[in-house]
Amino acid sequence: MRAAVAAVLDTGSAFGLPTSSEVALAEHLTARTAIDRWRFSNSGTEAVMTAIRAARAFTGRDLVLRFDGSYHGTADAVVDPGAPGIPAAVASATVVVPRGEDFRFDAAMAQYGRASPR
Protein backbone atom coordinates (compact mmCIF):
# COMPACT_ATOMS: atom_id res chain seq x y z
CA MET A 1 0.00 0.00 0.00
CA ARG A 2 2.80 2.46 0.86
CA ALA A 3 4.47 1.79 -2.47
CA ALA A 4 1.23 2.58 -4.31
CA VAL A 5 0.80 5.83 -2.37
CA ALA A 6 4.43 6.82 -2.97
CA ALA A 7 4.09 6.15 -6.71
CA VAL A 8 1.02 8.40 -6.92
CA LEU A 9 2.69 11.13 -4.83
CA ASP A 10 5.55 11.19 -7.30
CA THR A 11 3.10 12.56 -9.90
CA GLY A 12 2.06 15.45 -7.62
CA SER A 13 -0.43 16.17 -4.85
CA ALA A 14 -2.67 19.01 -6.05
CA PHE A 15 -3.98 19.60 -9.54
CA GLY A 16 -6.24 22.25 -11.05
CA LEU A 17 -7.54 20.02 -13.83
CA PRO A 18 -8.75 16.42 -13.78
CA THR A 19 -6.02 13.80 -13.74
CA SER A 20 -6.01 10.51 -15.61
CA SER A 21 -6.82 8.76 -12.32
CA GLU A 22 -9.89 10.95 -11.82
CA VAL A 23 -11.04 10.33 -15.38
CA ALA A 24 -10.61 6.58 -14.87
CA LEU A 25 -12.55 6.73 -11.60
CA ALA A 26 -15.33 8.78 -13.21
CA GLU A 27 -15.58 6.27 -16.05
CA HIS A 28 -15.73 3.42 -13.53
CA LEU A 29 -18.45 5.18 -11.51
CA THR A 30 -20.42 5.96 -14.67
CA ALA A 31 -20.36 2.30 -15.67
CA ARG A 32 -21.58 1.26 -12.22
CA THR A 33 -24.20 3.97 -11.65
CA ALA A 34 -25.30 5.31 -15.06
CA ILE A 35 -24.56 8.84 -13.77
CA ASP A 36 -22.70 10.34 -16.70
CA ARG A 37 -21.05 13.40 -15.13
CA TRP A 38 -18.79 13.49 -12.11
CA ARG A 39 -17.01 16.38 -10.38
CA PHE A 40 -14.34 15.75 -7.77
CA SER A 41 -13.28 18.38 -5.22
CA ASN A 42 -10.43 18.81 -2.78
CA SER A 43 -12.82 19.52 0.09
CA GLY A 44 -16.45 19.77 1.06
CA THR A 45 -16.15 23.56 1.06
CA GLU A 46 -14.99 23.51 -2.57
CA ALA A 47 -17.80 21.11 -3.47
CA VAL A 48 -20.39 23.44 -1.90
CA MET A 49 -18.85 26.49 -3.63
CA THR A 50 -19.03 24.70 -6.99
CA ALA A 51 -22.63 23.62 -6.35
CA ILE A 52 -23.64 27.19 -5.47
CA ARG A 53 -21.95 28.57 -8.58
CA ALA A 54 -23.66 25.95 -10.77
CA ALA A 55 -27.05 26.64 -9.16
CA ARG A 56 -26.64 30.38 -9.64
CA ALA A 57 -25.61 29.89 -13.27
CA PHE A 58 -28.58 27.60 -13.91
CA THR A 59 -31.22 29.72 -12.16
CA GLY A 60 -29.80 33.19 -12.78
CA ARG A 61 -30.47 33.96 -9.13
CA ASP A 62 -28.12 34.99 -6.31
CA LEU A 63 -29.97 33.89 -3.18
CA VAL A 64 -28.65 30.99 -1.07
CA LEU A 65 -30.62 29.23 1.65
CA ARG A 66 -28.65 27.78 4.54
CA PHE A 67 -29.66 25.99 7.72
CA ASP A 68 -28.81 27.71 11.00
CA GLY A 69 -26.51 25.69 13.23
CA SER A 70 -25.37 23.45 10.38
CA TYR A 71 -21.90 23.32 8.89
CA HIS A 72 -21.84 23.91 5.14
CA GLY A 73 -18.13 24.70 4.77
CA THR A 74 -16.15 27.91 5.14
CA ALA A 75 -17.13 29.84 1.99
CA ASP A 76 -18.64 33.26 2.68
CA ALA A 77 -21.98 32.27 1.13
CA VAL A 78 -22.58 29.48 3.66
CA VAL A 79 -21.09 30.85 6.86
CA ASP A 80 -23.44 32.58 9.29
CA PRO A 81 -24.21 35.93 7.63
CA GLY A 82 -23.45 37.73 10.91
CA ALA A 83 -19.98 36.21 11.26
CA PRO A 84 -17.03 38.61 11.30
CA GLY A 85 -15.60 39.25 7.84
CA ILE A 86 -18.72 38.35 5.85
CA PRO A 87 -19.45 41.19 3.39
CA ALA A 88 -22.88 42.78 3.66
CA ALA A 89 -23.57 42.00 -0.01
CA VAL A 90 -22.98 38.29 0.65
CA ALA A 91 -25.07 38.36 3.82
CA SER A 92 -27.95 40.02 1.94
CA ALA A 93 -27.96 37.12 -0.56
CA THR A 94 -28.39 34.54 2.21
CA VAL A 95 -31.61 33.26 3.78
CA VAL A 96 -31.13 31.41 7.07
CA VAL A 97 -33.71 28.83 8.13
CA PRO A 98 -33.65 27.03 11.49
CA ARG A 99 -32.99 23.34 11.01
CA GLY A 100 -35.74 20.98 11.97
CA GLU A 101 -38.51 23.56 11.49
CA ASP A 102 -40.20 22.31 8.36
CA PHE A 103 -42.79 25.09 8.38
CA ARG A 104 -40.02 27.73 8.30
CA PHE A 105 -38.36 25.98 5.37
CA ASP A 106 -41.71 25.73 3.57
CA ALA A 107 -42.34 29.45 4.21
CA ALA A 108 -38.90 30.40 2.88
CA MET A 109 -39.41 28.27 -0.22
CA ALA A 110 -42.84 29.82 -0.77
CA GLN A 111 -41.34 33.31 -0.48
CA TYR A 112 -38.00 32.84 -2.27
CA GLY A 113 -38.06 29.46 -3.98
CA ARG A 114 -40.24 30.19 -6.94
CA ALA A 115 -39.21 28.60 -10.18
CA SER A 116 -36.95 30.74 -12.28
CA PRO A 117 -37.27 30.32 -16.05
CA ARG A 118 -33.99 30.19 -17.93
Side-chain angles (χ1 to χ4, degrees):
M1 170 100 138
R2 287 181 185 216
V5 171
V8 171
L9 284 176
D10 284 342
T11 67
S13 62
F15 305 95
L17 297 173
T19 65
S20 59
S21 296
E22 289 172 306
V23 171
L25 177 58
E27 290 170 348
H28 175 75
L29 292 171
T30 296
R32 293 194 60 173
T33 65
I35 297 171
D36 62 355
R37 291 187 182 195
W38 291 88
R39 173 71 63 178
F40 300 106
S41 296
N42 290 321
S43 68
T45 293
E46 284 187 16
V48 169
M49 290 167 55
T50 301
I52 289 171
R53 180 172 294 155
R56 285 177 168 159
F58 181 78
T59 65
R61 297 166 57 199
D62 294 335
L63 201 61
V64 172
L65 183 141
R66 69 178 295 280
F67 294 99
D68 192 29
S70 295
Y71 179 74
H72 306 331
T74 58
D76 286 355
V78 294
V79 173
D80 185 320
I86 302 302
V90 172
S92 70
T94 305
V95 173
V96 181
V97 175
R99 72 183 154 176
E101 295 186 19
D102 293 351
F103 69 96
R104 298 281 297 274
F105 174 78
D106 291 342
M109 292 307 291
Q111 182 175 357
Y112 303 108
R114 65 200 169 279
S116 178
R118 253 314 188 153

